[in-house]
Amino acid sequence: MKPRIGNGLLYGGLLLGALTLVPQSQADEVAKELKPAKNYTVTSAPTEELEIPPPVLPDLSGYTRAAALAKIPQHQGQGRIAVRRMLQQDALKDFIGGDERLREWVTRQHGMPQAIFIEGGRVSLADLARQLPKEQFAESEPGVFIARLPVVVAQGATLVVDKQVKEFRLSQERGAFLVNDGLLFLVDTKLTGWREGDNATATFRRPDEFRPFLVSWGGSQLYIVDSQVASLGYSNSKSYGVSVTQYTPGMHERLKRPAPTGWLLGSEFVDIWYGFYCYEAANVVIKGNTYRDNVVYGIDPHDRSHGLIIADNTVYGTKKKHGIIISREVNDSWIINNRSYDNKLSGIVIDRNSVNNLVAYNEVYRNHADGITLYESPNNLLWGNQIFNNTRHGIRVRNSVNIRLYENVAAANQLTGIYGHIKDLSDTDRDIRLDPFDTEVSMIVVGGKLAANGSSPLAIDSPLSVELYRVEMLAPTKSSGISFAGVLGDNQEQILDMMVRRKQAVLIDPIDSQVEMQD
């Protein structure tokens, strides 16, 4: 065992770490993982191209409570309310396909399953309670409403749940859930999965147990503002909790609905299978929310979503996986000014060919894997993040090229401050056709600080290239001082001489690539 940080390191008023003992085997883990280095050259690089201005952040001033409320149609007439069979309804086909899923609702409703439909105008929960029998929908106490059937907001309709509603409960026993195919507003209220038998929230018990959920389909708009959403979702397609998702490919081809969108502002999401999930969504804004104690993920944008803004959120206590993850071609998006901590795995993950994203000014700490992880996702910029006290690496980059790391602080992480490596995923359960990858890594590291990380400030495995400039390396945990691993370790003396003593930019380049260029 060896001391990791001594008496601790103060940065920005925060104690990054106190005396922590790390097994020598864990401290040397990175060196064992790295493959034997090829021959590399270390040369001085021009600095002009490395000095880029701070990134331009999106203007968030328009995403406010007032702006969201202004989207409620003011001249829309009273909507119609009808109860129909769930079968043959486009908005419900995903949930009744196959005998097993149909059986779920037959069992819970004790007959051919039905749903409540809101059509052709604007409706409130009070309207539903007045027009429907109590076994389908009821005001159980003043301002508290419970749905005992699925509720569908049809295309062209609007449901407004506002401060007149203390709580909107979805009955777990009766198989209730909420589908938005039009406009849905939750403002100053609560939406809760409800276990009527216990007269309590439907807290998570096991992955395959039905819990109510909210799904907002292609062409819809969802606005959740200053509200609490709790105890929704389970492990079944599109039933994850709070989902903004395009229709399945076959239905999308027929319906041709535009990408769904929405704003989630100033709200709290608790005990949800996926705190937020989207699929082929566009321009969704997730701003100023708290995601706490969710089950699998806090925030999880997925497949081919783009133009997302994930800003000013606090995400912590995720029980199974990551705090924030974007995965599978989630492009041209911003993850900025968030706090992600105490999650089961990584704080922030960029995954599966998600490109052209900005991850900036986040605080990522005390996560039980990496701080920020990039898997198979080239062409991303990380700027000005503070990443500290994570159980594994501060920043991990795997099979990703053209990763630019600017002005980041990675301190007191148990393994490496910045770790770049390649990995062959062919023998895993990964679908290579769906998620292709190249075993290549390259990065530019400019500015910032790497301090008191357990194994090494930097370790890079078989890179196509690495450029380093103005990187401060402080408070080494090893008595021998700063110690690199991998390619950098093989060339440590020369790298430190150029970067630290002579204040030059350093280019580490494989000899093979230079020979190919000459040929």
Side-chain angles (χ1 to χ4, degrees):
M1 307 286 282
K2 65 177 185 177
R4 189 167 141 280
I5 307 175
N7 291 324
L9 176 69
L10 279 172
Y11 182 80
L14 296 173
L15 183 64
L16 297 184
L19 182 62
T20 303
L21 297 181
V22 176
Q24 184 67 45
S25 60
Q26 183 177 348
D28 293 339
E29 179 181 338
V30 173
K32 292 180 180 179
E33 287 182 356
L34 297 177
K35 299 175 177 60
K38 303 175 184 178
N39 291 322
Y40 282 77
T41 60
V42 178
T43 57
S44 172
T47 61
E48 292 79 8
E49 292 183 1
L50 297 177
E51 295 284 17
I52 62 175
V56 176
L57 303 183
D59 181 4
L60 303 181
S61 63
Y63 304 113
T64 64
R65 171 194 178 88
L69 291 175
K71 293 181 177 291
I72 299 176
Q74 298 303 310
H75 304 292
Q76 194 174 29
Q78 179 68 31
R80 299 182 302 276
I81 299 169
V83 176
R84 298 196 185 93
R85 289 185 175 183
M86 292 173 64
L87 294 172
Q88 306 304 316
Q89 301 291 336
D90 286 337
L92 298 175
K93 283 186 176 178
D94 250 41
F95 311 117
I96 57 173
D99 292 342
E100 183 177 342
R101 297 208 80 176
L102 180 59
R103 189 181 303 115
E104 178 88 59
W105 279 273
V106 171
T107 301
R108 292 179 183 276
Q109 295 189 22
H110 310 294
M112 185 59 66
Q114 296 179 309
I116 299 164
F117 288 82
I118 299 167
E119 299 171 327
R122 178 173 162 181
V123 164
S124 70
L125 297 193
D127 295 328
L128 292 170
R130 279 193 298 268
Q131 296 187 38
L132 296 171
K134 293 187 182 301
E135 61 268 19
Q136 296 177 346
F137 196 99
E139 186 172 10
S140 57
E141 57 187 87
V144 177
F145 296 83
I146 185 161
R148 297 188 171 105
L149 293 180
V151 177
V152 179
V153 184
Q155 185 177 359
T158 303
L159 175 63
V160 178
V161 184
D162 59 16
K163 62 183 179 182
Q164 306 301 320
V165 177
K166 295 178 183 177
E167 188 169 14
F168 181 14
R169 296 171 175 172
L170 303 174
S171 170
Q172 181 182 35
E173 288 92 337
R174 295 296 304 277
F177 56 91
L178 183 55
V179 175
N180 178 34
D181 210 25
L183 286 172
L184 173 59
F185 294 83
L186 302 172
V187 183
D188 293 325
T189 191
K190 292 182 178 180
L191 176 68
T192 308
W194 194 254
R195 193 170 290 139
E196 292 194 77
D198 297 339
N199 195 33
T201 56
T203 51
F204 174 76
R205 294 189 292 206
R206 63 180 193 273
D208 62 347
E209 179 184 40
F210 168 84
R211 290 202 301 173
F213 55 88
L214 162 61
V215 61
S216 196
W217 284 125
S220 69
Q221 297 178 40
L222 171 67
Y223 298 92
I224 302 178
V225 182
D226 296 334
S227 294
Q228 185 192 71
V229 181
S231 297
L232 301 179
Y234 69 118
S235 180
N236 219 329
S237 174
K238 311 297 186 182
S239 308
Y240 303 133
V242 178
S243 302
V244 177
T245 174
Q246 184 54 272
Y247 278 101
T248 52
M251 289 186 65
H252 178 46
E253 179 64 25
R254 176 169 60 85
L255 298 175
K256 301 190 184 306
R257 301 291 299 278
T261 191
W263 298 356
L264 288 72
L265 309 177
S267 296
E268 184 179 48
F269 299 85
V270 185
D271 182 38
I272 301 174
W273 182 247
Y274 293 179
F276 173 83
Y277 171 85
C278 68
Y279 171 92
E280 294 186 352
N283 307 316
V284 176
V285 178
I286 305 170
K287 177 192 168 196
N289 305 289
T290 296
Y291 289 82
R292 65 175 175 87
D293 301 326
N294 293 295
V295 182
V296 181
Y297 302 112
I299 300 174
D300 177 29
H302 233 277
D303 300 56
R304 297 172 295 283
S305 296
H306 65 274
L308 311 180
I309 296 175
I310 302 170
D312 301 326
N313 302 286
T314 298
V315 184
Y316 65 95
T318 306
K319 296 173 182 177
K320 290 183 179 291
K321 294 190 178 181
H322 314 297
I324 301 172
I325 175 172
I326 63 174
S327 183
R328 192 173 288 136
E329 299 177 46
V330 177
N331 303 335
D332 306 308
S333 296
W334 295 268
I335 302 175
I336 56 176
N337 290 311
N338 302 285
R339 290 148 302 285
S340 185
Y341 62 93
D342 285 340
N343 298 293
K344 179 68 173 179
L345 294 180
S346 295
I348 297 175
V349 178
I350 312 299
D351 183 43
R352 301 189 188 221
N353 294 297
S354 296
V355 303
N356 298 329
N357 298 293
L358 173 65
V359 182
Y361 306 116
N362 300 285
E363 295 180 10
V364 188
Y365 56 96
R366 290 203 313 263
N367 296 288
H368 300 288
D370 306 321
I372 300 178
T373 306
L374 291 95
Y375 285 153
E376 294 76 52
S377 292
N379 303 318
N380 289 292
L381 171 62
L382 277 61
W383 187 292
N385 300 285
Q386 296 185 31
I387 308 140
F388 49 91
N389 273 349
N390 297 287
T391 299
R392 293 185 63 79
H393 308 285
I395 300 172
R396 178 202 292 258
V397 179
R398 184 183 78 186
N399 296 342
S400 303
V401 296
N402 192 28
I403 301 303
R404 296 175 295 159
L405 308 175
Y406 275 70
E407 309 299 343
N408 299 288
V409 175
N413 300 289
Q414 289 194 20
L415 294 180
T416 309
I418 298 173
Y419 179 45
H421 68 120
I422 61 174
K423 184 175 183 179
D424 186 355
L425 306 175
S426 300
D427 293 333
T428 68
D429 59 0
R430 187 184 187 96
D431 184 334
I432 304 301
R433 180 191 58 78
L434 185 61
D435 297 310
F437 69 95
D438 294 312
T439 51
E440 298 176 339
V441 64
S442 70
M443 67 178 71
I444 297 171
V445 185
V446 175
K449 295 179 175 66
L450 304 175
N453 296 291
S455 293
S456 172
L458 280 163
I460 301 175
D461 171 19
S462 304
L464 292 180
S465 69
V466 180
E467 291 185 77
L468 308 173
Y469 182 51
R470 292 195 293 99
V471 184
E472 291 187 56
M473 287 173 281
L474 309 169
T477 58
K478 295 183 178 180
S479 58
S480 57
I482 292 170
S483 177
F484 294 148
V487 169
L488 303 183
D490 294 339
N491 299 276
Q492 177 167 316
E493 184 175 345
Q494 190 176 2
I495 292 170
L496 290 176
D497 178 65
M498 295 175 67
M499 185 170 64
V500 178
R501 299 184 184 93
R502 291 193 265 168
K503 309 297 183 185
Q504 295 178 333
V506 179
L507 172 63
I508 301 101
D509 216 12
I511 291 175
D512 290 351
S513 68
Q514 298 170 34
V515 171
E516 289 171 5
M517 289 176 63
Q518 292 172 2
D519 291 345

